[in-house]
Amino acid sequence: MTGRLVDSVVDRAVRIVERATAKANSNVALAKYWGKRDEVLNLPYTGSISVSLAGLSTTVGVEFGASLAADSLTLNGSAASEREARRITSFLDLVRQAARSDQRAQVDVRSNFPVAAGLASSASTFAAMALAATRALGLSLNPRDLSVLARRGSGSAARSIFGGYVEWFAGESSDGTDSFAEQLAPPEHWRLGVAIAITDEKRKKVGSREGMMLAAKESPFFPAWLESHDADLDVVRRGIRERDLVAVGQAAERNCLKMHAVAIAANPPLLYWTPSTLAVIRRVWRLREEGIEAFFSIDAGPQVKVLCPWAQRATVADALGRVTGVLRVLLSEPGGGVELVGAA
Ligand code: PMV
């Protein structure tokens, strides 16, 4: 027993690379995570289902060093705020604990899309960081354990470990070991078009963490959200399996509107939309009247993600781009899971 333990420690020491870089895609939830039953472990009240967004990615480089006195963090080339740096240090502490290391790290985070604006940059950031940091310290976690670790950084990051269509299970245990994500179907199962209307590039004032805590504590609609959520999960899961865009799209829209209704009804109220968010919603409904199967979803921010048939993505993007207040439209599709892009 002792021999095996020594072997594994030696093995780990040999495999230590100290530096690794990983890349993960953002995701959009079709049945959303909105409410934590445990705020430290990021354990959700409900399950959630998302699709990975190709081309909206975050690359995270992590380098541990014995000579570093403290962790340091750059976000898109600039030094991070103290709050952001603290969040990264708490996350790295989990990895250091698992690897029995006390080395500090330099972390470089680069996203190719607006951050902290409701496009799930924390999902792609912590999924990439989970892989980069563990590999840098010589740990090789299986995807499930990686998902559990990424969840500690940001709940939705548990899903960004995987590509394609992904379900994150709420789990029941208080230690969170059964609250991880799994792939429901790979990206090639169903090539949907996803057009993302950017209506505001500024950082949002209320992040999803504060937003969902407020909603859970101060919204009279929160119990109804919980009660009706499993039915949405069932429809979305089955719709993905059957590639039924109308079923998935209608359920995703309903689920999104319920989430925002919960937030709007909180005290104080929380409204993530701008006038152009609403204008895009109305344009999507009009597209449907015009015969295009387009359905929206909105996370904790003002941007609108629109699902549509792959063949109609350009038409949909063009229509969204003409809505007053839309700054630009990004085009995406179901993408892959987290991957290592370099290790030295
Ligand atoms: O992972 P967080 O803490 O950023 O929360 C994400 C919350 C939503 O994006 C609004 C919904 C979801 O399931 O991604």
Side-chain angles (χ1 to χ4, degrees), residues 29 32-34 36 122 154-156 159 208 212 259 299-300:
K32 296 188 188 295
Y33 154 52
W34 195 242
K36 299 176 201 280
S122 61
S154 166
S156 54
R159 300 187 308 244
S208 40
M212 67 178 82
M259 178 201 121
D299 285 317

Side-chain angles (χ1 to χ4, degrees), residues 30 232 235-236 244-257 288 294-296 307:
L30 306 171
D232 294 348
V235 176
V236 170
D244 182 342
L245 180 53
V246 175
V248 171
Q250 279 178 349
E253 261 191 31
R254 208 168 41 239
N255 188 265
C256 155
L257 290 172
R288 289 224 286 281
F295 299 89
F296 66 82
L307 307 177

Side-chain angles (χ1 to χ4, degrees), residues 23-25 52 159-164 183 187 335-339:
K23 184 175 169 182
N25 286 327
S52 160
R159 300 187 308 244
S160 267
I161 295 298
F162 301 94
Q183 186 180 68
V338 69
E339 58 183 2

